[in-house]
């Protein structure tokens, strides 16, 4: 089975005290220690035939059987924990350094060399002996030149100096450098008009020693880190192979932007946001054209995407009759949870389709983006072992001072859009535009999300936790 992994520790089921014997699952093996256990055959047949989507004790009773492990209305933390039962599988590949920009290190990188490799000059000037240069106007004899990449320079003795270029090896005997601007050359003599500074010598291994780890596993190879990998002598880099993540928008009303709209149609936008977020998280986005609200079309399309490493759908996961992603996942997939205590972004589900992890994201454009930020991005990062600071990330947790009251949501983590700005070294947050979950403009007009705990409002002047969207 592709997605289930043994690397994630088993979770303890605490929600129910009912202990039922375990029986095999329908589509594929699952970790056996999560979720409620199925009743025996006799006990199953004795159960009343509830309609689908019953809220009772969080168990969904389905047509033709029981899906015993679905949890409903979970916290964001629990949602992530459940999704991590099915992490993205981590594969690696080796690339030339020049091809590894924006990829993620699969293994930590240590230096193959000392950096610098030898004592050298930080300035163009003269290598000297400090005690020869105590008096301004001292005259020294030039005995040679130290050039980068050239032969090793001669050793100097008292009364002597050696021309030196930035980065060239320090001659033996020298212990300081005088900048060229503070010297005057007269034949083979140099007059020292400025200070001889030891600080202009870059000492061997002052940056890195051989064997020192400088880039941890899970680092995003930015321009600086890729240069550091080169400095450390790595011509080839083992990186995480990009997982292929399918993106499927669902809804009869959706039309490709740029085409003519007919009555009742709208432009499809979610797949563009999701594809871009997926790629920012170091994965390959496999965008499929939107599917209609039809069980047959959804089944065929999901089947065709199940060779990807994960599937993100948007739309069709709420309570409505036409919310067919939820329906097909209930009837033919395996759902781990449905609905999260979040506002906005309450309706998502997570499960597997033919063994492939699937996030059913809400259709409302703001909600689908926000759920990606707070759930899917951490799931990718944790699955693949991204470094918390050096790896790809879309947001940063910060403390902000609210400039106005922001209301929270009873029983739900409230993610209001805020605009964060700095003033006198403090992060201040305000809101603009209305906060409807269909208002994509609000995601552009704002650059952060409140993290208001369930049932709490943010007062004007209060400092609260927030996510700064990067
Ligand atoms: P649903 O979750 O399918 O009920 O959709 C909720 C709202 O989001 C509806 O107004 C849809 O028209 C809208 N919506 C769903 N999917 C998309 C999409 N891919 N792009 C833009 N809007 C969407
Ligand atoms: Mg829909």
């Amino acid at each position: 089975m592709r997605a289930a992994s043994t690397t994630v520790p088993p979770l303890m089921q605490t929600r129910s005290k009912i202990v039922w014997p375990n029986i095999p699952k329908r589509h594929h093996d699952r970790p056996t220690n999560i979720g409620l256990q199925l009743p025996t055959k006799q006990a199953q047949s004795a159960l009343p035939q509830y309609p689908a989507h019953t809220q009772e004790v969080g168990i969904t009773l389905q047509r033709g059987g029981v899906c015993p492990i679905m949890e409903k209305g979970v916290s964001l933390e629990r949602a992530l924990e459940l999704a991590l039962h099915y992490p993205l599988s981590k594969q690696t590949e080796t690339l030339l350094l020049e091809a590894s920009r924006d990829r993620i290190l699969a293994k930590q990188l240590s230096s193959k060399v000392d950096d610098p490799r030898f004592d050298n000059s930080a300035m163009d000037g003269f290598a000297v002996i400090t005690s020869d240069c105590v008096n301004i106007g001292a005259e020294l004899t030039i005995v040679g030149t130290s050039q980068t990449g050239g032969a090793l320079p001669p050793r100097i003795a008292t009364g002597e100096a050696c021309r030196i270029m930035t980065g060239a090896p320090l001659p033996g005997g020298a212990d300081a450098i005088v900048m060229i601007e503070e010297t005057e050359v007269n034949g083979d003599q140099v007059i020292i008009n400025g200070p001889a500074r030891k600080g202009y010598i870059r000492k061997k291994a002052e940056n890195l020693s051989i064997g020192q780890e400088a880039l941890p596993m899970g680092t995003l190879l930015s321009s600086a880190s890729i240069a550091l990998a080169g400095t450390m002598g790595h011509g080839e880099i083992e990186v995480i192979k990009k997982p292929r993540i399918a993106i499927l928008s669902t809804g009869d009303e959706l039309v490709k932007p740029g085409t003519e709209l007919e009555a009742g149609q709208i432009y499809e936008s979610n797949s563009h946001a999701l594809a871009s977020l997926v790629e920012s998280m170091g994965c390959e986005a496999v965008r499929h054209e939107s599917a209609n609200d039809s069980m047959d079309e959804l089944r065929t399309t999901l089947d065709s995407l199940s060779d990807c490493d994960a599937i993100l759908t948007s739309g069709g996961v709420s309570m409505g009759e036409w919310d067919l992603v939820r329906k097909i996942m209930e009837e033919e997939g395996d759902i781990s949870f449905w609905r999260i205590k979040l506002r906005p972004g309450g309706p998502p589900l997570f499960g597997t389709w033919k063994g492939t992890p699937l996030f059913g994201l809400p259709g409302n454009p703001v909600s689908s983006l926000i759920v990606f930020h707070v759930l899917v991005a951490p799931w990718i990062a944790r699955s693949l072992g991204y470094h918390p600071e050096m790896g790809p990330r879309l947001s940063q947790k910060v403390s902000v001072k609210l400039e106005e009251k922001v209301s929270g949501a009873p029983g739900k983590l409230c993610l209001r859009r805020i605009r964060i700005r700095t003033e006198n070294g403090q992060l201040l947050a305000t809101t603009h535009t209305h906060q409807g979950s269909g208002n994509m403009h609000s995601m552009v007009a704002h650059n952060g999300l409140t993290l208001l705990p369930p049932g709490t409002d943010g007062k004007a002047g209060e400092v609260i936790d927030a996510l700064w969207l990067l």
Side-chain angles (χ1 to χ4, degrees):
M1 184 179 65
R2 173 145 48 104
S5 158
T6 52
T7 55
V8 172
L11 300 173
M12 298 305 295
Q13 174 57 261
T14 53
R15 195 163 43 79
S16 169
K17 295 205 173 72
I18 305 166
V19 179
W20 284 322
N22 196 22
I23 66 167
K25 311 300 184 292
R26 281 183 302 146
H27 292 302
H28 59 275
D29 295 328
R30 276 178 176 278
T32 52
N33 50 355
I34 58 164
L36 296 171
Q37 311 270 290
L38 283 167
T40 59
K41 268 236 160 85
Q42 297 89 312
Q44 271 187 52
S45 57
L47 285 169
Q49 291 304 298
Y50 291 113
H53 334 313
T54 178
Q55 300 295 305
E56 294 202 1
V57 293
I59 307 173
T60 292
L61 298 170
Q62 300 177 299
R63 221 183 284 158
V66 178
C67 176
I69 61 163
M70 187 211 286
E71 295 187 23
K72 288 185 176 176
V74 295
S75 67
L76 181 59
E77 293 72 25
R78 179 68 179 148
L80 181 57
E81 194 177 36
L82 287 170
L84 282 169
H85 279 95
Y86 298 93
L88 277 171
S89 61
K90 181 173 166 181
Q91 320 273 338
T92 70
E93 60 185 330
T94 301
L95 298 179
L96 288 174
L97 178 64
E98 46 270 49
S100 59
R101 169 98 211 277
D102 287 339
R103 300 298 296 271
I104 297 114
L105 274 184
K107 283 193 183 142
Q108 54 110 348
L109 283 190
S110 304
S111 189
K112 294 184 173 189
V113 290
D114 286 327
D115 174 34
R117 281 193 65 211
F118 41 81
D119 291 355
N120 68 82
S121 177
M123 296 287 167
D124 289 326
F126 285 85
V128 296
I129 298 167
T130 318
S131 54
D132 287 342
C133 305
V134 178
N135 300 319
I136 296 294
E139 259 190 68
L140 304 173
T141 304
I142 303 169
V143 293
T145 300
S146 180
Q147 283 177 261
T148 48
L152 283 181
R155 192 177 174 84
I156 63 168
T158 302
E160 294 177 342
C162 180
R163 273 198 182 83
I164 195 162
M165 293 165 64
T166 303
L170 188 75
D175 66 358
I177 305 289
V178 182
M179 285 167 70
I180 195 141
E181 295 88 331
E182 294 176 331
T183 62
E184 214 175 299
V185 174
N186 185 7
D188 68 350
Q189 298 291 298
V190 57
I191 301 164
I192 305 297
N193 293 327
R197 295 194 195 273
K198 292 183 193 258
Y200 290 158
I201 297 171
R202 301 164 173 163
K203 302 294 281 182
K204 173 179 166 147
E206 72 179 11
N207 302 330
L208 291 173
S209 316
I210 291 183
Q212 189 176 332
E213 178 197 323
L215 290 173
M217 184 181 88
T219 295
L220 173 68
L221 289 163
S222 63
S223 45
S225 44
I226 202 168
L228 180 57
T231 301
M232 297 194 296
H234 296 277
E236 292 186 337
I237 312 276
E238 193 174 346
V239 298
I240 297 175
K241 205 168 174 183
K242 289 186 177 190
R244 296 174 70 241
I245 301 194
I247 294 163
L248 176 66
S249 286
T250 69
D252 288 343
E253 74 280 30
L254 305 175
V255 174
K256 193 173 150 61
T259 53
E260 284 294 313
L261 290 174
E262 288 175 15
Q265 294 183 327
I266 62 164
Y267 289 127
E268 193 282 315
S269 61
N270 293 355
S271 71
H272 297 278
L274 295 172
S276 139
L277 291 168
V278 157
E279 301 211 326
S280 305
M281 287 303 288
C283 307
E284 181 188 335
V286 179
R287 264 187 69 237
H288 196 278
E289 62 187 52
S290 344
N292 286 318
D293 292 317
S294 132
M295 289 290 269
D296 286 342
E297 188 171 338
L298 276 178
R299 185 181 306 109
T300 313
T301 312
L302 290 176
D303 280 349
S304 75
L305 296 175
S306 62
D307 66 335
C308 288
D309 297 294
I311 302 172
L312 306 181
T313 63
S314 82
V317 288
S318 300
M319 312 279 285
E321 195 55 25
W322 290 103
D323 286 323
L324 298 187
V325 173
R326 175 187 48 74
K327 191 163 186 249
I328 203 167
M329 282 297 289
E330 279 183 343
E331 294 181 1
E332 301 174 35
D334 285 312
I335 304 185
S336 301
F337 68 79
W338 176 39
R339 299 213 307 266
I340 309 180
K341 292 180 181 137
L342 277 186
R343 180 176 293 166
L349 62 77
F350 173 84
T352 54
W353 179 265
K354 313 281 161 71
T356 304
L358 181 149
F359 285 89
L361 303 177
N364 274 312
V366 171
S367 308
S368 69
L369 235 94
I370 288 183
V371 174
F372 190 99
H373 276 285
V374 298
L375 177 65
V376 185
W379 175 78
I380 295 173
R382 293 268 298 274
S383 295
L384 300 179
Y386 289 177
H387 190 275
E389 271 133 45
M390 312 269 285
R393 56 188 178 143
L394 303 175
S395 61
Q396 187 179 350
K397 196 169 169 187
V398 289
S399 297
V400 297
K401 185 173 172 181
L402 291 175
E403 293 193 282
E404 63 196 86
K405 177 179 185 271
V406 177
S407 33
K412 292 179 177 177
L413 176 66
C414 189
L415 305 159
R416 299 265 177 220
R417 276 135 279 167
I418 47 176
R419 174 109 213 140
I420 302 174
R421 65 192 172 90
T422 43
E423 196 174 281
N424 299 327
Q426 188 168 34
L427 298 181
L428 301 176
T430 47
T431 59
H432 306 272
T433 73
H434 85 90
Q435 299 261 336
S437 55
N439 180 12
M440 183 47 68
H441 183 224
S442 69
M443 285 301 288
V444 175
H446 298 91
N447 60 357
L449 300 171
T450 62
L451 290 170
L452 284 172
T456 59
D457 292 327
K459 300 175 198 65
E462 193 180 341
V463 174
I464 62 158
D465 286 340
L467 283 183
W468 196 341
L469 304 180
L470 304 172

